[in-house]
Amino acid sequence: MTTTTPTSTPRSATNATTAGTPRTSRRPRRRATGRRSTPLTVVMLAVLAYFLLPLVWLAISATKSTQDLFTTFGLWFSHAPQLLTNIRETFTHDDGVFLHWLLNTVLYSVGSALGAALLAAAAGYGFAKYRFRGNNAAFALVLGAVMIPTTALAIPTYLLFAKVDLVNTPWAIVLPSLVSPFGLYLMRVYAADAVPDSILEAARIDGAGELRIFVTIALRLLAPGLVTVVLFTLVATWNNYFLPLIMLNDPKLYPVTVGLSSWASQAFGGGSGANSNMLALVVTGSLISILPLVVAFLFLQRYWQSGLATGGVKQ
């Protein structure tokens, strides 16, 4: 009678099997401690102070009267703050002309920003997704136009608009602001990566026309770039001074920049009575005029964040 005993696995084989399987030894990772650079910190604080100190001075000075602007420390409040009084006098001075200037600025800036963004998106999309004769040469002209300062074109623009009787009209401010070479360049670079060619080909196969593809597909993909162009054009038109100065003669058509400049000329031109508190109105009006831009940046920054997240996904 034959008896079979169970075979035991040799210890050497067990060791070999154990050696063949890789061990995942988890070692505690060392936390990467950030290096602190004292010179870099000092430089960043200096840059932060360079940008914030003028805003702090403006916000504090808007609470002072004209006399306190010259007799108190610039970066601290006076003994009798009068911010609400200054705001009320700013909006009621000269039959509320400041509110009219503010509405004019909103009209010029919003109209110019939306129009410039749409034109830049259409042109940038065309340069990025279509191939035609003279494509590179035309785009080189656009890059050259970026280097031309807008003040150099103010006098030729005035002469051109004077020929067609558009001087002293809102169109004299809006139409020149619709042309944005930098916005076109930005949208061309953005459209080259943000709009995949496969989606365009699929839409063409489904029978969609080029205009429908641009309106329903491309514009949605170009939303972060559009917001960028809108903000750049909005700020440029809002702060534009030289073009409205030479284009507009009617004070009722002035934007905030030219209107506050006229008040400043009255304040520094001497006089008493109605002009004695004019400098405080100029400072308060300057503070009020930058608040819409701050709100626009805070409201539209989420589109920038979504655009950055979309670009981080590799297709």
Side-chain angles (χ1 to χ4, degrees), residues 1-5:
M1 182 176 180
T2 306
T3 59
T4 59
T5 58

Side-chain angles (χ1 to χ4, degrees), residues 4-14:
T4 59
T5 58
T7 58
S8 60
T9 305
R11 184 175 297 178
S12 59
T14 305

Side-chain angles (χ1 to χ4, degrees), residues 23-266:
R23 285 186 177 180
T24 57
S25 60
R26 296 182 179 178
R27 296 180 179 178
R29 295 182 179 180
R30 296 180 180 177
R31 295 183 179 179
T33 58
R35 296 180 179 178
R36 296 182 179 180
S37 175
T38 303
L40 182 59
T41 303
V42 172
V43 171
M44 293 304 298
L45 290 177
V47 173
L48 183 64
Y50 175 79
F51 285 104
L52 291 183
L53 280 180
L55 296 179
V56 173
W57 178 90
L58 184 63
I60 294 176
S61 299
T63 65
K64 301 178 181 180
S65 62
T66 301
Q67 182 180 1
D68 291 336
L69 287 174
F70 296 98
T71 58
T72 59
F73 180 59
L75 296 178
W76 195 246
F77 299 92
S78 62
H79 297 289
Q82 53 176 24
L83 177 62
L84 296 180
T85 302
N86 290 341
I87 293 176
R88 183 177 64 253
E89 292 182 358
T90 301
F91 281 101
T92 57
H93 182 74
D94 198 7
D95 297 330
V97 69
F98 178 79
L99 180 60
H100 203 72
W101 293 340
L102 197 62
L103 295 177
N104 290 340
T105 307
V106 172
L107 175 64
Y108 301 154
S109 302
V110 173
S112 302
L114 295 179
L118 290 177
L119 290 178
Y125 173 79
F127 275 113
K129 297 302 175 181
Y130 295 99
R131 297 295 177 263
F132 52 90
R133 183 176 298 178
N135 187 352
N136 295 330
F139 190 68
L141 290 177
V142 173
L143 294 180
V146 175
M147 305 302 296
I148 301 176
T150 55
T151 53
L153 301 175
I155 301 301
T157 304
Y158 173 81
L159 297 177
L160 180 64
F161 277 61
K163 291 291 184 180
V164 293
D165 294 331
L166 289 179
V167 176
N168 202 29
T169 63
W171 295 109
I173 309 301
V174 175
L175 290 180
S177 302
L178 296 179
V179 181
S180 177
F182 176 74
L184 194 155
Y185 165 75
L186 183 65
M187 293 306 299
R188 192 259 187 187
V189 174
Y190 190 83
D193 295 329
V195 183
D197 295 334
S198 58
I199 296 180
L200 302 181
E201 293 297 332
R204 294 188 182 104
I205 293 174
D206 291 339
E210 298 298 328
L211 181 59
R212 183 178 180 183
I213 293 174
F214 173 72
V215 174
T216 59
I217 298 177
L219 280 182
R220 295 185 180 182
L221 297 175
L222 296 175
L226 281 171
V227 172
T228 304
V229 178
V230 165
L231 283 178
F232 275 119
T233 310
L234 182 71
V235 174
T237 310
W238 192 283
N239 296 328
N240 198 355
Y241 171 75
F242 190 60
L243 182 65
L245 181 65
I246 66 174
M247 287 289 188
L248 302 177
N249 299 322
D250 189 0
K252 294 183 179 180
L253 297 177
Y254 283 171
V256 170
T257 52
V258 181
L260 291 178
S261 177
S262 65
W263 278 5
S265 63
Q266 298 177 25

